[in-house]
Amino acid sequence: MTSSKKENVPVNEPLLSKEAAANVAQAMESRWLSSQGPFVKQFEEDYAKRFGVKYAVTTTSGTSALHLALAALNVGKEDEVIVPAFTMAAVWLAVMYTGAKPVFVDCTPDTYNIDPTQIESKISSRTKAIIVVHIYGHSADMDPILAIAKKNKLKIVEDAAEAHGGEYKGQLCGTMGDIGTFSFMANKIITTGEGGMTITNNEEYADRLRRYKDFCYSPQKRFIHTDVGYNYRMGNLQAAVGCGELANLSKYIEIKEKMAEKYAGLLGNIAGLRLPITLSGVKNVYWMYAILIDDQKFGMNKDALRATLKERGIDTRDFFYPPEEQPFLIDRNLVTEKFPQTDYASKHGLYLPSGLAISDEQIERVAEEIRDIAKK
Ligand SMILES: Cc1ncc(COP(=O)(O)O)c(C=O)c1O
């Protein structure tokens, strides 16, 4: 079929709740816009409750949440932090902001998450922490990672930017390590436009998260600063949106699960496509519906498929690129090896339109176009 006259299918279209809109109207009415506004406290309280943790501290982004988490764990110049090779670069950057060195570990071929079997060989006397990222909504294999951290006395930051509400053996992503971080950027499962959150059960970390996000003001005297702090304060309008969206998280996860089920039903028997794999014990929240293309079996490589879909009005995205292709890492001699699984995923993977506002008709259209391309 040709679809030149049909509407484009964007890769991500957010769904915003009426609760969020009502909260924003209320915040505007109250004229509270700053981080002192009441929705900020409410968002933190609601978030802590929803995730079953003692403390939640808002930030300006997922990246600042990661930086803040590392600052709270006292990661600094002489330290090394183990990071996934397959991830969004914000993870590596946050480590670099602290002056510490990111040490990369390749991913597993099934879920693209950090490969626990490769972590221990990367631990040195300088290693202070591991950042685990739950990629595309599928939890990393936490049991072996937690065991390695315990054995080697390392802290764990769990980056759940792509996995709000995802679970591993009944535990929510973000709650298994020392500090969990989230992004609320526009394409995330919960959005505030831009924004982030850190969560923890540790009172000392919570205190440090709060102080470092607010310039490390001395509790005794404002404008006296006890350390080099940051301004990572979320404003009241963002928090107003966040409260409304958080109330809809369970509904949003259901939408994602239905989307994945529908894609799987429609794409399941196309040769050369590998659909997302969900391991046993994991609740996958399918932040993005990520597929791998086998060039030979599909008859076309990933780039050609993306380009053909684009011509037909369907927007997709590449997977992340490996560290060995990143100039900012190469220029600083931070990457000295290759990561074959990350490289393979990067060269063969793409993700399909997966936003919360996607309709059944749009999913059917995407699948029909792929089927038609496969036939030809
Ligand atoms: C895994 C991961 N960590 C961190 C971030 C950074 O979040 P933000 O864009 O809110 O800074 C993103 C994406 O944006 C991400 O996918």
PDB file of all heavy atoms in Angstrom, residues 59-66 86-91 131-136 159-163 181-188 193-196 287 320, ligand 1:
ATOM      1  N   THR A  59      14.062  17.705  40.842  1.00  0.00           N
ATOM      2  CA  THR A  59      15.198  18.393  40.198  1.00  0.00           C
ATOM      3  C   THR A  59      14.709  18.963  38.863  1.00  0.00           C
ATOM      4  O   THR A  59      13.550  18.802  38.505  1.00  0.00           O
ATOM      5  CB  THR A  59      16.375  17.430  39.909  1.00  0.00           C
ATOM      6  OG1 THR A  59      15.979  16.506  38.898  1.00  0.00           O
ATOM      7  CG2 THR A  59      16.814  16.671  41.137  1.00  0.00           C
ATOM      8  N   THR A  60      15.645  19.569  38.155  1.00  0.00           N
ATOM      9  CA  THR A  60      15.283  20.235  36.897  1.00  0.00           C
ATOM     10  C   THR A  60      15.292  19.300  35.696  1.00  0.00           C
ATOM     11  O   THR A  60      14.785  19.656  34.639  1.00  0.00           O
ATOM     12  CB  THR A  60      16.271  21.375  36.628  1.00  0.00           C
ATOM     13  OG1 THR A  60      17.604  20.846  36.789  1.00  0.00           O
ATOM     14  CG2 THR A  60      16.073  22.525  37.590  1.00  0.00           C
ATOM     15  N   SER A  61      15.921  18.132  35.799  1.00  0.00           N
ATOM     16  CA  SER A  61      16.009  17.200  34.665  1.00  0.00           C
ATOM     17  C   SER A  61      16.505  15.846  35.167  1.00  0.00           C
ATOM     18  O   SER A  61      16.983  15.722  36.299  1.00  0.00           O
ATOM     19  CB  SER A  61      16.981  17.724  33.601  1.00  0.00           C
ATOM     20  OG  SER A  61      18.308  17.706  34.095  1.00  0.00           O
ATOM     21  N   GLY A  62      16.446  14.868  34.272  1.00  0.00           N
ATOM     22  CA  GLY A  62      17.022  13.559  34.605  1.00  0.00           C
ATOM     23  C   GLY A  62      18.534  13.652  34.728  1.00  0.00           C
ATOM     24  O   GLY A  62      19.143  12.936  35.540  1.00  0.00           O
ATOM     25  N   THR A  63      19.126  14.528  33.945  1.00  0.00           N
ATOM     26  CA  THR A  63      20.586  14.699  34.000  1.00  0.00           C
ATOM     27  C   THR A  63      21.000  15.327  35.325  1.00  0.00           C
ATOM     28  O   THR A  63      21.945  14.856  35.975  1.00  0.00           O
ATOM     29  CB  THR A  63      21.061  15.584  32.819  1.00  0.00           C
ATOM     30  OG1 THR A  63      20.491  15.089  31.620  1.00  0.00           O
ATOM     31  CG2 THR A  63      22.568  15.604  32.719  1.00  0.00           C
ATOM     32  N   SER A  64      20.274  16.378  35.745  1.00  0.00           N
ATOM     33  CA  SER A  64      20.634  16.991  37.032  1.00  0.00           C
ATOM     34  C   SER A  64      20.339  16.029  38.183  1.00  0.00           C
ATOM     35  O   SER A  64      21.047  16.035  39.199  1.00  0.00           O
ATOM     36  CB  SER A  64      19.944  18.351  37.229  1.00  0.00           C
ATOM     37  OG  SER A  64      18.548  18.225  37.217  1.00  0.00           O
ATOM     38  N   ALA A  65      19.321  15.173  38.008  1.00  0.00           N
ATOM     39  CA  ALA A  65      19.031  14.170  39.051  1.00  0.00           C
ATOM     40  C   ALA A  65      20.224  13.227  39.205  1.00  0.00           C
ATOM     41  O   ALA A  65      20.637  12.895  40.327  1.00  0.00           O
ATOM     42  CB  ALA A  65      17.771  13.379  38.685  1.00  0.00           C
ATOM     43  N   LEU A  66      20.811  12.818  38.079  1.00  0.00           N
ATOM     44  CA  LEU A  66      21.978  11.926  38.133  1.00  0.00           C
ATOM     45  C   LEU A  66      23.176  12.638  38.769  1.00  0.00           C
ATOM     46  O   LEU A  66      23.882  12.068  39.614  1.00  0.00           O
ATOM     47  CB  LEU A  66      22.355  11.476  36.718  1.00  0.00           C
ATOM     48  CG  LEU A  66      21.483  10.388  36.099  1.00  0.00           C
ATOM     49  CD1 LEU A  66      21.685  10.328  34.585  1.00  0.00           C
ATOM     50  CD2 LEU A  66      21.793   9.028  36.727  1.00  0.00           C
ATOM     51  N   PHE A  86      25.609   1.083  26.634  1.00  0.00           N
ATOM     52  CA  PHE A  86      24.384   1.345  25.867  1.00  0.00           C
ATOM     53  C   PHE A  86      23.451   2.185  26.730  1.00  0.00           C
ATOM     54  O   PHE A  86      22.755   1.668  27.604  1.00  0.00           O
ATOM     55  CB  PHE A  86      23.685   0.045  25.468  1.00  0.00           C
ATOM     56  CG  PHE A  86      22.536   0.270  24.519  1.00  0.00           C
ATOM     57  CD1 PHE A  86      22.748   0.285  23.150  1.00  0.00           C
ATOM     58  CD2 PHE A  86      21.248   0.492  24.984  1.00  0.00           C
ATOM     59  CE1 PHE A  86      21.696   0.523  22.260  1.00  0.00           C
ATOM     60  CE2 PHE A  86      20.192   0.728  24.107  1.00  0.00           C
ATOM     61  CZ  PHE A  86      20.417   0.735  22.743  1.00  0.00           C
ATOM     62  N   THR A  87      23.459   3.489  26.493  1.00  0.00           N
ATOM     63  CA  THR A  87      22.565   4.372  27.235  1.00  0.00           C
ATOM     64  C   THR A  87      22.598   5.748  26.619  1.00  0.00           C
ATOM     65  O   THR A  87      23.433   6.044  25.766  1.00  0.00           O
ATOM     66  CB  THR A  87      22.941   4.464  28.725  1.00  0.00           C
ATOM     67  OG1 THR A  87      21.924   5.195  29.407  1.00  0.00           O
ATOM     68  CG2 THR A  87      24.280   5.157  28.940  1.00  0.00           C
ATOM     69  N   MET A  88      21.696   6.594  27.110  1.00  0.00           N
ATOM     70  CA  MET A  88      21.737   7.988  26.721  1.00  0.00           C
ATOM     71  C   MET A  88      22.945   8.638  27.409  1.00  0.00           C
ATOM     72  O   MET A  88      23.228   8.337  28.565  1.00  0.00           O
ATOM     73  CB  MET A  88      20.430   8.648  27.167  1.00  0.00           C
ATOM     74  CG  MET A  88      20.088   9.884  26.415  1.00  0.00           C
ATOM     75  SD  MET A  88      20.370  11.279  27.460  1.00  0.00           S
ATOM     76  CE  MET A  88      20.458  12.565  26.253  1.00  0.00           C
ATOM     77  N   ALA A  89      23.627   9.528  26.694  1.00  0.00           N
ATOM     78  CA  ALA A  89      24.905  10.064  27.168  1.00  0.00           C
ATOM     79  C   ALA A  89      24.813  10.872  28.461  1.00  0.00           C
ATOM     80  O   ALA A  89      25.835  11.113  29.112  1.00  0.00           O
ATOM     81  CB  ALA A  89      25.532  10.929  26.074  1.00  0.00           C
ATOM     82  N   ALA A  90      23.604  11.273  28.860  1.00  0.00           N
ATOM     83  CA  ALA A  90      23.457  12.038  30.104  1.00  0.00           C
ATOM     84  C   ALA A  90      24.106  11.302  31.281  1.00  0.00           C
ATOM     85  O   ALA A  90      24.646  11.927  32.197  1.00  0.00           O
ATOM     86  CB  ALA A  90      21.977  12.277  30.404  1.00  0.00           C
ATOM     87  N   VAL A  91      24.056   9.983  31.229  1.00  0.00           N
ATOM     88  CA  VAL A  91      24.608   9.156  32.311  1.00  0.00           C
ATOM     89  C   VAL A  91      26.120   9.370  32.405  1.00  0.00           C
ATOM     90  O   VAL A  91      26.671   9.586  33.491  1.00  0.00           O
ATOM     91  CB  VAL A  91      24.282   7.668  32.040  1.00  0.00           C
ATOM     92  CG1 VAL A  91      24.901   6.764  33.083  1.00  0.00           C
ATOM     93  CG2 VAL A  91      22.770   7.463  31.967  1.00  0.00           C
ATOM     94  N   ILE A 131      26.270   3.043  38.008  1.00  0.00           N
ATOM     95  CA  ILE A 131      24.971   3.577  37.566  1.00  0.00           C
ATOM     96  C   ILE A 131      24.322   2.514  36.691  1.00  0.00           C
ATOM     97  O   ILE A 131      24.882   2.095  35.672  1.00  0.00           O
ATOM     98  CB  ILE A 131      25.091   4.896  36.770  1.00  0.00           C
ATOM     99  CG1 ILE A 131      25.800   5.973  37.600  1.00  0.00           C
ATOM    100  CG2 ILE A 131      23.689   5.378  36.356  1.00  0.00           C
ATOM    101  CD1 ILE A 131      25.918   7.331  36.907  1.00  0.00           C
ATOM    102  N   VAL A 132      23.162   2.068  37.118  1.00  0.00           N
ATOM    103  CA  VAL A 132      22.388   1.081  36.356  1.00  0.00           C
ATOM    104  C   VAL A 132      21.279   1.847  35.647  1.00  0.00           C
ATOM    105  O   VAL A 132      20.609   2.671  36.265  1.00  0.00           O
ATOM    106  CB  VAL A 132      21.744   0.049  37.309  1.00  0.00           C
ATOM    107  CG1 VAL A 132      20.945  -0.964  36.538  1.00  0.00           C
ATOM    108  CG2 VAL A 132      22.807  -0.621  38.155  1.00  0.00           C
ATOM    109  N   VAL A 133      21.094   1.582  34.365  1.00  0.00           N
ATOM    110  CA  VAL A 133      19.997   2.232  33.628  1.00  0.00           C
ATOM    111  C   VAL A 133      19.020   1.139  33.189  1.00  0.00           C
ATOM    112  O   VAL A 133      19.439   0.096  32.689  1.00  0.00           O
ATOM    113  CB  VAL A 133      20.526   2.975  32.377  1.00  0.00           C
ATOM    114  CG1 VAL A 133      19.389   3.681  31.654  1.00  0.00           C
ATOM    115  CG2 VAL A 133      21.615   3.978  32.764  1.00  0.00           C
ATOM    116  N   HIS A 134      17.743   1.376  33.379  1.00  0.00           N
ATOM    117  CA  HIS A 134      16.719   0.420  32.934  1.00  0.00           C
ATOM    118  C   HIS A 134      16.281   0.846  31.531  1.00  0.00           C
ATOM    119  O   HIS A 134      15.468   1.766  31.376  1.00  0.00           O
ATOM    120  CB  HIS A 134      15.544   0.406  33.913  1.00  0.00           C
ATOM    121  CG  HIS A 134      15.974   0.134  35.328  1.00  0.00           C
ATOM    122  ND1 HIS A 134      16.549  -1.057  35.697  1.00  0.00           N
ATOM    123  CD2 HIS A 134      15.942   0.905  36.445  1.00  0.00           C
ATOM    124  CE1 HIS A 134      16.828  -1.019  36.999  1.00  0.00           C
ATOM    125  NE2 HIS A 134      16.481   0.165  37.466  1.00  0.00           N
ATOM    126  N   ILE A 135      16.849   0.150  30.546  1.00  0.00           N
ATOM    127  CA  ILE A 135      16.737   0.645  29.173  1.00  0.00           C
ATOM    128  C   ILE A 135      15.370   0.366  28.534  1.00  0.00           C
ATOM    129  O   ILE A 135      14.869  -0.758  28.596  1.00  0.00           O
ATOM    130  CB  ILE A 135      17.861   0.011  28.315  1.00  0.00           C
ATOM    131  CG1 ILE A 135      19.233   0.534  28.765  1.00  0.00           C
ATOM    132  CG2 ILE A 135      17.630   0.237  26.826  1.00  0.00           C
ATOM    133  CD1 ILE A 135      19.561   1.959  28.388  1.00  0.00           C
ATOM    134  N   TYR A 136      14.830   1.384  27.896  1.00  0.00           N
ATOM    135  CA  TYR A 136      13.568   1.288  27.125  1.00  0.00           C
ATOM    136  C   TYR A 136      12.412   0.699  27.944  1.00  0.00           C
ATOM    137  O   TYR A 136      11.514   0.056  27.395  1.00  0.00           O
ATOM    138  CB  TYR A 136      13.770   0.457  25.842  1.00  0.00           C
ATOM    139  CG  TYR A 136      14.747   1.074  24.855  1.00  0.00           C
ATOM    140  CD1 TYR A 136      15.582   0.288  24.066  1.00  0.00           C
ATOM    141  CD2 TYR A 136      14.841   2.454  24.715  1.00  0.00           C
ATOM    142  CE1 TYR A 136      16.471   0.859  23.158  1.00  0.00           C
ATOM    143  CE2 TYR A 136      15.735   3.027  23.824  1.00  0.00           C
ATOM    144  CZ  TYR A 136      16.545   2.230  23.048  1.00  0.00           C
ATOM    145  OH  TYR A 136      17.421   2.789  22.149  1.00  0.00           O
ATOM    146  N   ASP A 159      19.126   4.577  37.369  1.00  0.00           N
ATOM    147  CA  ASP A 159      18.522   5.566  36.480  1.00  0.00           C
ATOM    148  C   ASP A 159      17.266   4.965  35.844  1.00  0.00           C
ATOM    149  O   ASP A 159      17.350   4.133  34.941  1.00  0.00           O
ATOM    150  CB  ASP A 159      19.542   5.974  35.405  1.00  0.00           C
ATOM    151  CG  ASP A 159      18.993   7.029  34.455  1.00  0.00           C
ATOM    152  OD1 ASP A 159      17.791   7.344  34.551  1.00  0.00           O
ATOM    153  OD2 ASP A 159      19.766   7.520  33.609  1.00  0.00           O
ATOM    154  N   ALA A 160      16.126   5.416  36.354  1.00  0.00           N
ATOM    155  CA  ALA A 160      14.844   4.889  35.858  1.00  0.00           C
ATOM    156  C   ALA A 160      14.147   5.917  34.957  1.00  0.00           C
ATOM    157  O   ALA A 160      12.921   5.946  34.877  1.00  0.00           O
ATOM    158  CB  ALA A 160      13.961   4.493  37.037  1.00  0.00           C
ATOM    159  N   ALA A 161      14.966   6.727  34.274  1.00  0.00           N
ATOM    160  CA  ALA A 161      14.420   7.771  33.387  1.00  0.00           C
ATOM    161  C   ALA A 161      13.480   7.191  32.331  1.00  0.00           C
ATOM    162  O   ALA A 161      12.569   7.869  31.864  1.00  0.00           O
ATOM    163  CB  ALA A 161      15.568   8.502  32.686  1.00  0.00           C
ATOM    164  N   GLU A 162      13.730   5.922  31.958  1.00  0.00           N
ATOM    165  CA  GLU A 162      12.946   5.303  30.885  1.00  0.00           C
ATOM    166  C   GLU A 162      12.007   4.228  31.437  1.00  0.00           C
ATOM    167  O   GLU A 162      11.484   3.420  30.670  1.00  0.00           O
ATOM    168  CB  GLU A 162      13.911   4.670  29.863  1.00  0.00           C
ATOM    169  CG  GLU A 162      14.918   5.666  29.319  1.00  0.00           C
ATOM    170  CD  GLU A 162      15.876   5.075  28.294  1.00  0.00           C
ATOM    171  OE1 GLU A 162      15.787   3.857  28.011  1.00  0.00           O
ATOM    172  OE2 GLU A 162      16.714   5.826  27.786  1.00  0.00           O
ATOM    173  N   ALA A 163      11.847   4.177  32.750  1.00  0.00           N
ATOM    174  CA  ALA A 163      11.149   3.005  33.309  1.00  0.00           C
ATOM    175  C   ALA A 163      10.263   3.334  34.513  1.00  0.00           C
ATOM    176  O   ALA A 163      10.194   2.560  35.463  1.00  0.00           O
ATOM    177  CB  ALA A 163      12.182   1.950  33.702  1.00  0.00           C
ATOM    178  N   THR A 181      16.902   7.672  40.153  1.00  0.00           N
ATOM    179  CA  THR A 181      16.689   8.947  39.458  1.00  0.00           C
ATOM    180  C   THR A 181      15.691   8.760  38.322  1.00  0.00           C
ATOM    181  O   THR A 181      15.575   7.676  37.749  1.00  0.00           O
ATOM    182  CB  THR A 181      18.010   9.513  38.887  1.00  0.00           C
ATOM    183  OG1 THR A 181      18.481   8.642  37.844  1.00  0.00           O
ATOM    184  CG2 THR A 181      19.078   9.663  39.941  1.00  0.00           C
ATOM    185  N   PHE A 182      14.994   9.853  37.998  1.00  0.00           N
ATOM    186  CA  PHE A 182      13.971   9.835  36.941  1.00  0.00           C
ATOM    187  C   PHE A 182      14.074  11.102  36.109  1.00  0.00           C
ATOM    188  O   PHE A 182      14.486  12.153  36.624  1.00  0.00           O
ATOM    189  CB  PHE A 182      12.560   9.796  37.563  1.00  0.00           C
ATOM    190  CG  PHE A 182      12.290   8.539  38.343  1.00  0.00           C
ATOM    191  CD1 PHE A 182      12.718   8.428  39.663  1.00  0.00           C
ATOM    192  CD2 PHE A 182      11.614   7.476  37.772  1.00  0.00           C
ATOM    193  CE1 PHE A 182      12.487   7.270  40.396  1.00  0.00           C
ATOM    194  CE2 PHE A 182      11.370   6.317  38.498  1.00  0.00           C
ATOM    195  CZ  PHE A 182      11.813   6.207  39.814  1.00  0.00           C
ATOM    196  N   SER A 183      13.663  10.995  34.857  1.00  0.00           N
ATOM    197  CA  SER A 183      13.525  12.167  33.991  1.00  0.00           C
ATOM    198  C   SER A 183      12.048  12.360  33.693  1.00  0.00           C
ATOM    199  O   SER A 183      11.315  11.381  33.528  1.00  0.00           O
ATOM    200  CB  SER A 183      14.284  11.935  32.680  1.00  0.00           C
ATOM    201  OG  SER A 183      13.864  12.873  31.700  1.00  0.00           O
ATOM    202  N   PHE A 184      11.647  13.631  33.600  1.00  0.00           N
ATOM    203  CA  PHE A 184      10.271  13.946  33.191  1.00  0.00           C
ATOM    204  C   PHE A 184      10.268  14.746  31.894  1.00  0.00           C
ATOM    205  O   PHE A 184       9.389  15.576  31.659  1.00  0.00           O
ATOM    206  CB  PHE A 184       9.540  14.723  34.296  1.00  0.00           C
ATOM    207  CG  PHE A 184       9.531  14.039  35.635  1.00  0.00           C
ATOM    208  CD1 PHE A 184       9.897  14.735  36.784  1.00  0.00           C
ATOM    209  CD2 PHE A 184       9.146  12.710  35.754  1.00  0.00           C
ATOM    210  CE1 PHE A 184       9.888  14.115  38.030  1.00  0.00           C
ATOM    211  CE2 PHE A 184       9.134  12.080  36.998  1.00  0.00           C
ATOM    212  CZ  PHE A 184       9.510  12.787  38.140  1.00  0.00           C
ATOM    213  N   MET A 185      11.312  14.549  31.088  1.00  0.00           N
ATOM    214  CA  MET A 185      11.379  15.209  29.791  1.00  0.00           C
ATOM    215  C   MET A 185      10.155  14.808  28.960  1.00  0.00           C
ATOM    216  O   MET A 185       9.528  13.781  29.251  1.00  0.00           O
ATOM    217  CB  MET A 185      12.700  14.760  29.142  1.00  0.00           C
ATOM    218  CG  MET A 185      13.169  15.624  28.027  1.00  0.00           C
ATOM    219  SD  MET A 185      12.617  14.918  26.484  1.00  0.00           S
ATOM    220  CE  MET A 185      14.075  14.109  25.917  1.00  0.00           C
ATOM    221  N   ALA A 186       9.852  15.611  27.950  1.00  0.00           N
ATOM    222  CA  ALA A 186       8.560  15.484  27.254  1.00  0.00           C
ATOM    223  C   ALA A 186       8.223  14.086  26.733  1.00  0.00           C
ATOM    224  O   ALA A 186       7.056  13.724  26.659  1.00  0.00           O
ATOM    225  CB  ALA A 186       8.505  16.484  26.116  1.00  0.00           C
ATOM    226  N   ASN A 187       9.228  13.291  26.373  1.00  0.00           N
ATOM    227  CA  ASN A 187       8.880  11.972  25.817  1.00  0.00           C
ATOM    228  C   ASN A 187       8.853  10.859  26.871  1.00  0.00           C
ATOM    229  O   ASN A 187       8.708   9.689  26.531  1.00  0.00           O
ATOM    230  CB  ASN A 187       9.830  11.611  24.663  1.00  0.00           C
ATOM    231  CG  ASN A 187      11.255  11.344  25.120  1.00  0.00           C
ATOM    232  OD1 ASN A 187      11.527  11.283  26.319  1.00  0.00           O
ATOM    233  ND2 ASN A 187      12.165  11.176  24.175  1.00  0.00           N
ATOM    234  N   LYS A 188       8.959  11.219  28.138  1.00  0.00           N
ATOM    235  CA  LYS A 188       8.996  10.188  29.177  1.00  0.00           C
ATOM    236  C   LYS A 188       7.574   9.768  29.607  1.00  0.00           C
ATOM    237  O   LYS A 188       6.606  10.440  29.292  1.00  0.00           O
ATOM    238  CB  LYS A 188       9.794  10.693  30.384  1.00  0.00           C
ATOM    239  CG  LYS A 188      11.255  11.023  30.034  1.00  0.00           C
ATOM    240  CD  LYS A 188      11.975   9.830  29.453  1.00  0.00           C
ATOM    241  CE  LYS A 188      13.477  10.022  29.292  1.00  0.00           C
ATOM    242  NZ  LYS A 188      13.872  10.950  28.237  1.00  0.00           N
ATOM    243  N   GLY A 193       7.395  18.388  31.054  1.00  0.00           N
ATOM    244  CA  GLY A 193       8.058  19.196  30.015  1.00  0.00           C
ATOM    245  C   GLY A 193       9.555  18.951  30.110  1.00  0.00           C
ATOM    246  O   GLY A 193      10.149  18.286  29.277  1.00  0.00           O
ATOM    247  N   GLU A 194      10.162  19.505  31.110  1.00  0.00           N
ATOM    248  CA  GLU A 194      11.520  19.171  31.554  1.00  0.00           C
ATOM    249  C   GLU A 194      11.430  18.973  33.062  1.00  0.00           C
ATOM    250  O   GLU A 194      10.651  19.655  33.717  1.00  0.00           O
ATOM    251  CB  GLU A 194      12.527  20.291  31.264  1.00  0.00           C
ATOM    252  CG  GLU A 194      12.647  20.714  29.807  1.00  0.00           C
ATOM    253  CD  GLU A 194      13.413  19.724  28.938  1.00  0.00           C
ATOM    254  OE1 GLU A 194      13.989  18.755  29.475  1.00  0.00           O
ATOM    255  OE2 GLU A 194      13.407  19.924  27.705  1.00  0.00           O
ATOM    256  N   GLY A 195      12.216  18.101  33.600  1.00  0.00           N
ATOM    257  CA  GLY A 195      12.181  17.908  35.053  1.00  0.00           C
ATOM    258  C   GLY A 195      12.792  16.578  35.433  1.00  0.00           C
ATOM    259  O   GLY A 195      13.101  15.749  34.565  1.00  0.00           O
ATOM    260  N   GLY A 196      12.997  16.386  36.730  1.00  0.00           N
ATOM    261  CA  GLY A 196      13.571  15.126  37.202  1.00  0.00           C
ATOM    262  C   GLY A 196      13.275  14.903  38.673  1.00  0.00           C
ATOM    263  O   GLY A 196      12.733  15.782  39.360  1.00  0.00           O
ATOM    264  N   TRP A 287       8.832   1.892  27.467  1.00  0.00           N
ATOM    265  CA  TRP A 287       8.957   3.333  27.205  1.00  0.00           C
ATOM    266  C   TRP A 287       8.971   3.578  25.698  1.00  0.00           C
ATOM    267  O   TRP A 287       8.266   4.449  25.188  1.00  0.00           O
ATOM    268  CB  TRP A 287      10.236   3.889  27.847  1.00  0.00           C
ATOM    269  CG  TRP A 287      10.500   5.299  27.440  1.00  0.00           C
ATOM    270  CD1 TRP A 287       9.649   6.361  27.578  1.00  0.00           C
ATOM    271  CD2 TRP A 287      11.671   5.814  26.806  1.00  0.00           C
ATOM    272  NE1 TRP A 287      10.225   7.500  27.064  1.00  0.00           N
ATOM    273  CE2 TRP A 287      11.460   7.185  26.588  1.00  0.00           C
ATOM    274  CE3 TRP A 287      12.890   5.247  26.400  1.00  0.00           C
ATOM    275  CZ2 TRP A 287      12.416   8.006  25.991  1.00  0.00           C
ATOM    276  CZ3 TRP A 287      13.841   6.064  25.819  1.00  0.00           C
ATOM    277  CH2 TRP A 287      13.605   7.432  25.614  1.00  0.00           C
ATOM    278  N   PHE A 320      20.732   4.290  20.768  1.00  0.00           N
ATOM    279  CA  PHE A 320      21.878   5.094  21.212  1.00  0.00           C
ATOM    280  C   PHE A 320      23.143   4.625  20.484  1.00  0.00           C
ATOM    281  O   PHE A 320      23.225   3.480  20.044  1.00  0.00           O
ATOM    282  CB  PHE A 320      22.079   4.931  22.718  1.00  0.00           C
ATOM    283  CG  PHE A 320      20.861   5.337  23.529  1.00  0.00           C
ATOM    284  CD1 PHE A 320      20.196   4.407  24.327  1.00  0.00           C
ATOM    285  CD2 PHE A 320      20.377   6.629  23.484  1.00  0.00           C
ATOM    286  CE1 PHE A 320      19.074   4.770  25.061  1.00  0.00           C
ATOM    287  CE2 PHE A 320      19.256   7.005  24.208  1.00  0.00           C
ATOM    288  CZ  PHE A 320      18.605   6.072  24.999  1.00  0.00           C
TER     289      PHE A 320
HETATM  290  C1  LIG B   1      18.461   6.783  30.577  1.00  0.00           C
HETATM  291  C2  LIG B   1      18.390   8.275  30.585  1.00  0.00           C
HETATM  292  N1  LIG B   1      19.017   8.936  31.579  1.00  0.00           N
HETATM  293  C3  LIG B   1      18.974  10.278  31.624  1.00  0.00           C
HETATM  294  C4  LIG B   1      18.316  11.021  30.682  1.00  0.00           C
HETATM  295  C5  LIG B   1      18.378  12.489  30.765  1.00  0.00           C
HETATM  296  O1  LIG B   1      17.168  13.044  31.174  1.00  0.00           O
HETATM  297  P1  LIG B   1      16.880  14.591  30.880  1.00  0.00           P
HETATM  298  O2  LIG B   1      16.684  14.752  29.410  1.00  0.00           O
HETATM  299  O3  LIG B   1      15.624  14.873  31.644  1.00  0.00           O
HETATM  300  O4  LIG B   1      18.030  15.368  31.388  1.00  0.00           O
HETATM  301  C6  LIG B   1      17.647  10.347  29.635  1.00  0.00           C
HETATM  302  C7  LIG B   1      16.894  10.995  28.572  1.00  0.00           C
HETATM  303  O5  LIG B   1      16.591  12.071  28.377  1.00  0.00           O
HETATM  304  C8  LIG B   1      17.693   8.945  29.589  1.00  0.00           C
HETATM  305  O6  LIG B   1      17.090   8.272  28.603  1.00  0.00           O
END
